């Protein structure tokens, strides 16, 4: 008896064990035997690009994605998605809750995956046309309609809270560019960085570097969004675990920093709000 | 722009939204949560928390009906399916429901159609205020290749919620507004010209426009909307044998990608 319900995939194929139709005897990814050949012979990043693109990547592509993954692996404990995961860590919630928190916060339009998606869409529209970039960076929306995502409040790929381009951004751009195709997005971005920064009034952000690298890897904006989300999770995970160990007493609780602007009834209790509920 | 303004909020966040003075009192939009808001129905409080004002009992009852009328305990519906999958693998209740809720911010149902439909009716109203004909606006949107959210419905030809919603709106005196009228005028045009149906997103959004919600308020208001239908789906799968919720056999994944190939074949 077969199921009435079918899933379709051009990525994954499984052959069942004779004894159990729900257990796989062999799994194939885009035609390659996963457990027989891919796991023993491919690197993690070759396999990742194979899954995303359906074809084995070149050595150059594999190197570029590996180094991009390292650039993104840990945004550090100051970054919003990692802070979200740390908040989950210190309260002793589920590990998946920590990563869900990191994914939700890391999805945003200020430094998050949605910003990367928008950048990648602009790459499709603007390519290497500097004048078009100068227009679209200030008006990146697809149209005037309201959406579940808010309108962008800054030029995508740049940091409105920045002054000069931070050194790690320049180091990442320089190194990734050295691995990238000579006529690609990273090379062009490196060439035009100063002109673009001058136009928008603030420096390039890691989201802008990542978007260009993802374009050079031949990924579309949906693939780029997913990959950016995934590649930043290691930092969220390790800092969540670290803070779980340290505990909430060593973690900032902003109670006394939050002030009510129009409080008509000042605090009467002698007990200060410096402990968590 | 630069980093200077960040210094203002590094150690201080001044707000009018509220604050928990632990061991003392809690303030929400200037009101004491326990002494002034303690008798609110929970959904009414949720409305107050988002709007910063009390929209009145009838609006709260109308919104409550939106939620009740979309609480479908059916695990075939996509977000509910996610919660049931969480149940069948014995994940936790919060993880199940939060995953289901996040999947409710979708494009073929849920938050995007709701936001887009509300935006559509506001823009339609403005178009008509400018002297344009409503049908002209609809055709302009359609010819731009835009989906007319609230019209047509995946998996069904009609929407069983509409008559109940209209009855409730009438009961609460909310059925005479301009945007609800626009919603049905658009339907009549689309039905006649393209044989489109209307779904509850159009009726809800028409009413929401008449109640004056912004698109962002509306998105927040409806975010937990399907949760009452999800909980039983989670329980149902959780209480049955592990992995037994619509198991998928290997042959049920139909492969249409490249043929088998050797990793060692030279590229």
């Amino acid at each position: 008896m077969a199921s009435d319900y079918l899933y379709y995939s051009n990525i994954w194929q499984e052959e069942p064990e004779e004894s159990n139709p729900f257990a796989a005897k062999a799994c194939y990814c885009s035609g390659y035997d996963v457990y027989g050949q891919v796991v023993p012979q491919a690197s993690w990043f070759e396999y990742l690009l194979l899954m995303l693109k359906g074809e084995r990547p070149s050595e150059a592509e594999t190197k570029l994605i590996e180094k991009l993954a390292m650039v993104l692996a840990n945004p550090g404990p100051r970054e919003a998605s990692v802070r979200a995961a740390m908040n989950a860590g210190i309260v002793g919630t589920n590990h998946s809750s920590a990563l869900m928190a990191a994914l939700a916060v890391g999805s945003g339009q200020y430094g998050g995956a949605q910003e990367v998606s928008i950048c990648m869409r602009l790459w499709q529209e603007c390519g290497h046309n500097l004048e078009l970039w100068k227009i679209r960076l200030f008006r990146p929306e697809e149209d005037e309609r309201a959406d579940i995502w808010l309108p962008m409040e800054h030029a995508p790929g740049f940091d409105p809270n920045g002054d000069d381009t931070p050194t790690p951004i320049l180091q990442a751009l320089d190194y990734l560019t050295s691995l990238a195709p000579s006529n690609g997005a990273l090379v062009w971005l490196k060439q035009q960085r100063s002109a673009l920064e001058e136009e928008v009034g603030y420096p390039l952000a890691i989201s802008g570097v990542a978007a260009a690298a993802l374009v050079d890897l031949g990924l579309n904006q949906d693939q780029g969004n997913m990959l950016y989300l995934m590649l930043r999770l290691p930092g969220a995970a390790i800092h969540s675990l670290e803070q779980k160990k340290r505990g909430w007493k060593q973690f900032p609780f902003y109670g006394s920093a939050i002030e009510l602007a129009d409080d008509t009834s000042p605090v009467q209790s002698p007990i200060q709000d410096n402990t968590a509920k | 722009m630069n980093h200077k303004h960040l210094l203002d909020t590094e150690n201080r966040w001044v707000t009018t939204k509220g604050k928990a003075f632990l061991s003392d009192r809690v303030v929400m939009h200037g009101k004491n949560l326990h002494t002034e808001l303690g008798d609110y129905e929970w959904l009414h409080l949720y409305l107050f928390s988002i709007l910063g004002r009390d929209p009145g009992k009838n609006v709260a009852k109308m919104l409550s009906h939106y939620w009740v009328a979309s609480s479908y305990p059916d695990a075939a519906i996509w977000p509910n399916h996610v919660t049931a999958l969480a149940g069948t693998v014995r994940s936790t209740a919060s993880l199940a429901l939060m995953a289901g809720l996040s999947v409710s911010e979708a494009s073929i149902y849920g938050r995007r159609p709701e936001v887009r439909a509300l935006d559509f009716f506001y823009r339609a109203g403005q178009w008509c205020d400018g002297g344009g004909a409503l049908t002209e606006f609809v055709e302009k949107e359609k010819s731009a290749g835009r989906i007319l959210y609230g019209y047509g419905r995946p998996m069904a030809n009609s929407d069983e919620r509409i008559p109940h919603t209209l009855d409730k709106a009438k009961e609460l005196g909310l059925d005479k507004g301009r945007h609800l009228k626009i919603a049905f005028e658009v339907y009549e045009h689309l039905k006649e010209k393209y044989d489109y149906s209307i779904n509850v997103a159009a009726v809800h959004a028409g009413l929401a426009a008449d109640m004056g919600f912004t698109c962002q308020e509306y998105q927040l208001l409806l975010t937990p909307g399907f949760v009452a239908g999800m909980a039983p789906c989670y329980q149902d799968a959780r209480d049955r044998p592990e992995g037994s919720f619509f198991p998928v056999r290997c042959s049920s994944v139909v492969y249409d990608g490249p043929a088998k190939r050797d990793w060692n074949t030279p590229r």
Side-chain angles (χ1 to χ4, degrees):
Chain A
M1 187 185 80
S3 170
D4 295 335
Y5 297 94
L6 302 175
Y7 293 78
Y8 294 88
S9 175
N10 63 11
I11 299 170
W12 201 257
Q13 180 182 25
E14 291 184 357
E15 291 171 351
E17 294 282 5
E18 284 176 19
S19 58
N20 181 356
F22 297 97
K25 181 171 69 180
C27 303
Y28 296 88
C29 181
S30 294
Y32 295 110
D33 182 347
V34 174
Y35 295 97
Q37 291 196 314
V38 179
V39 172
Q41 297 185 56
S43 71
W44 157 229
F45 290 100
E46 269 184 299
Y47 184 32
L48 188 55
L49 274 183
L50 171 69
M51 285 193 282
L52 279 163
K53 299 175 71 173
E55 291 299 330
R56 284 184 66 175
S58 66
E59 283 181 26
E61 288 173 319
T62 306
K63 185 84 182 281
L64 180 57
I65 191 175
E66 183 189 350
K67 294 302 177 185
L68 173 65
M70 291 174 72
V71 164
L72 299 177
N74 189 6
R78 298 185 303 105
E79 194 272 338
S81 71
V82 179
R83 278 171 65 186
M86 293 194 303
N87 269 273
I90 62 120
V91 300
T93 184
N94 312 297
H95 300 309
S96 51
S97 303
L99 294 187
M100 283 167 74
L103 287 172
V105 174
S107 300
Q109 294 174 172
Y110 175 57
Q114 184 68 6
E115 180 170 19
V116 171
S117 273
I118 293 168
C119 281
M120 293 181 75
R121 173 165 54 75
L122 293 187
W123 273 106
Q124 296 305 315
E125 290 178 30
C126 304
H128 293 185
N129 184 333
L130 183 62
E131 296 311 308
L132 195 51
W133 273 104
K134 287 179 179 178
I135 296 168
R136 292 295 279 152
L137 280 172
F138 292 101
R139 283 189 282 124
E141 276 71 40
E142 286 178 291
D143 59 53
E144 82 284 9
R145 289 176 296 172
D147 188 38
I148 56 174
W149 290 98
L150 295 166
M152 281 296 289
E153 296 173 34
H154 66 275
F158 294 80
D159 181 6
N161 293 324
D163 299 80
D164 300 315
T165 322
T167 304
I169 305 280
L170 293 174
Q171 289 172 313
L173 179 61
D174 280 352
Y175 185 62
L176 293 177
T177 299
S178 74
L179 306 174
S182 59
N183 59 348
L186 278 165
V187 167
W188 189 85
L189 179 64
K190 187 180 171 186
Q191 288 166 352
Q192 303 299 334
R193 178 182 63 81
S194 297
L196 291 166
E197 287 178 336
E198 192 174 333
E199 185 70 19
V200 300
Y202 37 85
L204 184 66
I206 199 66
S207 54
V209 177
L214 292 162
V215 167
D216 280 348
L217 285 167
L219 302 175
N220 64 37
Q221 68 185 69
D222 295 325
Q223 294 166 327
N225 187 310
M226 285 277 197
L227 196 56
Y228 187 77
L229 285 169
M230 288 191 288
L231 294 181
R232 298 206 307 169
L233 287 181
I238 56 109
H239 286 297
S240 172
L241 293 171
E242 179 189 36
Q243 295 304 322
K244 183 182 180 183
K245 267 191 195 166
R246 287 179 174 272
W248 62 268
K249 288 180 181 172
Q250 276 191 39
F251 196 75
F253 185 71
Y254 289 94
S256 58
I258 293 178
E259 293 177 27
L260 213 46
D262 51 356
D263 190 20
T264 52
S265 175
V267 180
Q268 291 159 8
S269 169
I271 300 170
Q272 295 301 303
D273 57 331
N274 58 354
T275 54
K277 273 195 265 193
Chain B
M1 295 168 83
N2 55 45
H3 79 279
K4 294 288 192 305
H5 72 101
L6 297 180
L7 303 177
D8 298 337
T9 50
E10 191 177 9
N11 295 303
R12 188 168 182 243
W13 187 263
V14 181
T15 180
T16 59
K17 301 289 186 187
K19 179 172 172 63
F21 297 96
L22 301 183
S23 301
D24 181 19
R25 70 203 156 94
V26 177
V27 178
M28 180 188 284
H29 296 301
K31 292 195 182 297
N32 186 302
L33 180 67
H34 301 108
T35 61
E36 294 178 272
L37 303 172
D39 286 335
Y40 272 46
E41 294 288 333
W42 185 87
L43 184 75
H44 198 157
L45 181 75
Y46 186 56
L47 275 165
F48 177 78
S49 79
I50 292 166
L51 302 175
R53 61 182 169 81
D54 180 0
K57 282 190 177 172
N58 281 2
V59 168
K61 282 182 182 171
M62 192 70 243
L63 261 292
S64 176
H65 184 78
Y66 282 29
W67 281 30
V68 169
S70 292
S71 296
Y72 286 16
D74 186 325
I77 298 169
W78 303 281
N80 299 2
H81 201 83
V82 171
T83 64
L85 287 168
T88 204
V89 301
R90 306 297 188 260
S91 188
T92 71
S94 289
L95 292 171
L97 296 188
M98 293 310 110
L101 285 180
S102 68
V103 172
S104 304
E105 207 164 48
S107 294
I108 62 170
Y109 69 94
R111 303 298 90 79
R112 176 166 276 137
E114 290 156 1
V115 168
R116 285 271 160 101
L118 180 59
D119 176 66
F120 175 82
F121 292 132
Y122 279 136
R123 288 187 297 113
Q126 287 163 4
W127 177 271
C128 295
D129 287 344
L134 181 60
T135 52
E136 193 185 354
F137 179 76
V138 173
E139 288 302 318
K140 187 172 75 73
E141 291 282 305
K142 203 163 183 314
S143 63
R146 295 177 173 182
I147 296 169
L148 301 177
Y149 290 99
Y151 299 94
R153 189 185 188 197
M155 319 303 290
N157 297 324
S158 62
D159 195 321
E160 60 285 348
R161 291 165 289 190
I162 290 175
H164 305 293
T165 303
L166 293 175
D167 286 348
K168 183 58 73 175
K170 189 174 181 183
E171 177 191 321
L172 297 169
L174 295 168
D175 64 328
K176 304 290 185 216
R178 177 198 194 194
H179 295 95
L180 183 62
K181 190 163 172 280
I182 287 177
F184 280 97
E185 286 173 2
V186 170
Y187 168 54
E188 283 160 21
H189 174 72
L190 291 173
K191 170 79 180 160
E192 185 184 323
K193 197 160 178 189
Y194 305 105
D195 198 28
Y196 278 18
S197 62
I198 182 170
N199 70 58
V200 83
V203 177
H204 280 172
L207 284 164
D210 291 334
M211 289 186 276
F213 301 132
T214 67
C215 290
Q216 289 173 38
E217 288 167 346
Y218 192 50
Q219 184 180 356
L220 261 177
L221 289 170
L222 296 188
T223 287
F226 302 149
V227 75
M230 292 175 191
C233 296
Y234 168 71
Q235 289 173 308
D236 197 17
R238 180 202 62 192
D239 294 342
R240 298 207 217 177
E242 290 176 307
S244 65
F245 180 71
F246 293 121
V248 179
R249 65 178 61 212
C250 296
S251 61
S252 293
V253 179
V254 179
Y255 179 69
D256 53 8
K260 287 178 187 169
R261 43 189 171 168
D262 187 341
W263 187 263
N264 296 309
T265 301
R267 283 175 289 175

